[in-house]
Amino acid sequence: MEYARQKKQLGIVLDIFYKISVCVLIINDVLLFTTSSSEVYLLGLKFSVAYFHMFVITLWFIRLQSGKISRSAVNQLTLFILIILSIITGIRVDCMTGVVGLALMMTWFLLGTKFPKFVCNPVTAVSTVLISYGFLYVAPTVMHNSAVRHFVVDILHRDPTMTGRTNIFEVFPQAFEKKPFLGYGYGVSYDVMSWQGIGFVPDTQNGLAEIMLAGGLAAGALLLALIWNTIKSINPQVGKMRILAVTSFIYALICIATVEITFSTLFFACLVLLANISKEKVKA
């Protein structure tokens, strides 16, 4: 991507990538709606399916401002279809996280149009990451409150443990404090968390916590530094719409990281994408 930007071909590369992504999306969704229900799809698990739909919407905005598509009724309809498809697919695969993520992305985008200096601010980005991580320590106490528990169980008819997440959040600190600086190593979350005596635990169910369990405070600090430097380098007044589109998607993934593992390849790819498109001069 860096090479393409230096050769002033980044727009072409992203245009090709968008078209390929749409093709993959169509194939995935056709299989999803025409075959028997499954927990694994062409794009992976249900979370990967939901996030990929959001990513394609992000690419649509990038193409719009790059001049690859016009603001015609057909293209506006395409965006509408992508949004509706994202919602329907999220419901179909039973991933309300994706539906909420789409709402979060739109919220951040609208917020960015009004307050670009706030959204495109490294302090805001890093603070959002820390807040999403802090939820891990607050959630168990809140859910143990009788009033909250009554509201969740008797009125909302939901699991008070957030499908086991509060149990995981309660034992994470004792696992983390044993190796706080360099962590346990990549890919051992299942083993480490399952040693804590609460049964089968796939991961920490929190984005930053997962990073820190693997690489300790060092990895957590590096992640925050990467996010800080990426957001700090952008100028929201240069290519405003596409900058906000990618930034909003990144913020949505950060918010979802409160209860899911979203600091994945897609997240880091978006940071690279944001860093590169912010260096291209396009019409705002």
Side-chain angles (χ1 to χ4, degrees):
M1 191 176 294
E2 177 70 20
Y3 179 78
R5 184 187 63 79
Q6 292 178 356
K7 294 297 182 178
K8 297 182 179 180
Q9 300 296 318
L10 182 59
I12 296 176
V13 171
L14 291 177
D15 183 52
I16 295 173
F17 187 62
Y18 168 79
K19 293 176 181 177
I20 294 175
S21 297
V22 169
C23 290
V24 172
L25 191 72
I26 292 173
I27 295 172
N28 176 85
D29 289 356
V30 169
L31 292 174
L32 189 154
F33 285 104
T34 58
T35 58
S36 57
S37 59
S38 172
E39 293 185 359
V40 181
Y41 309 94
L42 178 64
L43 289 169
L45 298 176
K46 61 182 182 179
F47 300 106
S48 298
V49 173
Y51 303 154
F52 193 78
H53 278 79
M54 294 165 60
F55 181 57
V56 172
I57 293 173
T58 301
L59 291 176
W60 185 93
F61 278 102
I62 293 176
R63 293 183 76 239
L64 176 65
Q65 192 159 37
S66 298
K68 298 298 180 182
I69 58 176
S70 64
R71 296 176 182 268
S72 66
V74 174
N75 287 318
Q76 297 293 333
L77 179 61
T78 301
L79 175 62
F80 178 76
I81 292 174
L82 287 173
I83 293 174
I84 296 300
L85 187 61
S86 178
I87 296 172
I88 294 175
T89 303
I91 297 173
R92 176 69 173 79
V93 299
D94 192 26
C95 182
M96 293 309 295
T97 305
V99 178
V100 173
L102 180 62
L104 286 169
M105 187 171 75
M106 292 179 174
T107 300
W108 280 105
F109 185 86
L110 293 175
L111 187 64
T113 59
K114 299 295 184 181
F115 309 102
K117 291 184 179 180
F118 171 76
V119 172
C120 299
N121 189 315
V123 175
T124 305
V126 171
S127 297
T128 305
V129 175
L130 294 177
I131 290 172
S132 73
Y133 173 68
F135 179 80
L136 179 152
Y137 294 93
V138 175
T141 302
V142 172
M143 295 308 295
H144 283 317
N145 180 276
S146 58
V148 174
R149 196 177 187 87
H150 168 72
F151 178 76
V152 172
V153 176
D154 299 328
I155 298 179
L156 297 181
H157 303 291
R158 297 292 183 179
D159 181 3
T161 68
M162 299 169 61
T163 60
R165 285 180 174 83
T166 56
N167 296 332
I168 298 173
F169 293 166
E170 285 182 318
V171 300
F172 168 77
Q174 66 190 48
F176 176 67
E177 66 185 14
K178 294 176 182 177
K179 291 191 176 183
F181 299 108
L182 296 177
Y184 292 86
Y186 180 76
V188 299
S189 181
Y190 166 76
D191 300 285
V192 174
M193 295 304 294
S194 294
W195 293 340
Q196 308 308 313
I198 57 174
F200 169 74
V201 179
D203 49 55
T204 60
Q205 295 292 295
N206 182 280
L208 185 56
E210 188 74 5
I211 294 291
M212 293 174 64
L213 190 72
L217 292 171
L222 286 173
L223 174 64
L224 294 177
L226 177 62
I227 294 173
W228 177 282
N229 288 331
T230 302
I231 301 298
K232 184 180 180 180
S233 67
I234 65 177
N235 181 355
Q237 300 305 324
V238 179
K240 182 177 179 179
M241 182 179 292
R242 64 181 191 166
I243 290 293
L244 288 179
V246 181
T247 304
S248 299
F249 182 45
I250 290 173
Y251 271 111
L253 292 178
I254 292 174
C255 292
I256 298 172
T258 303
V259 292
E260 295 292 350
I261 308 300
T262 56
F263 295 150
S264 59
T265 304
L266 180 60
F267 178 80
F268 292 109
C270 285
L271 289 178
V272 174
L273 175 61
L274 180 61
N276 278 277
I277 64 173
S278 64
K279 295 176 183 177
E280 278 203 327
K281 293 184 178 180
V282 294
K283 188 177 180 180

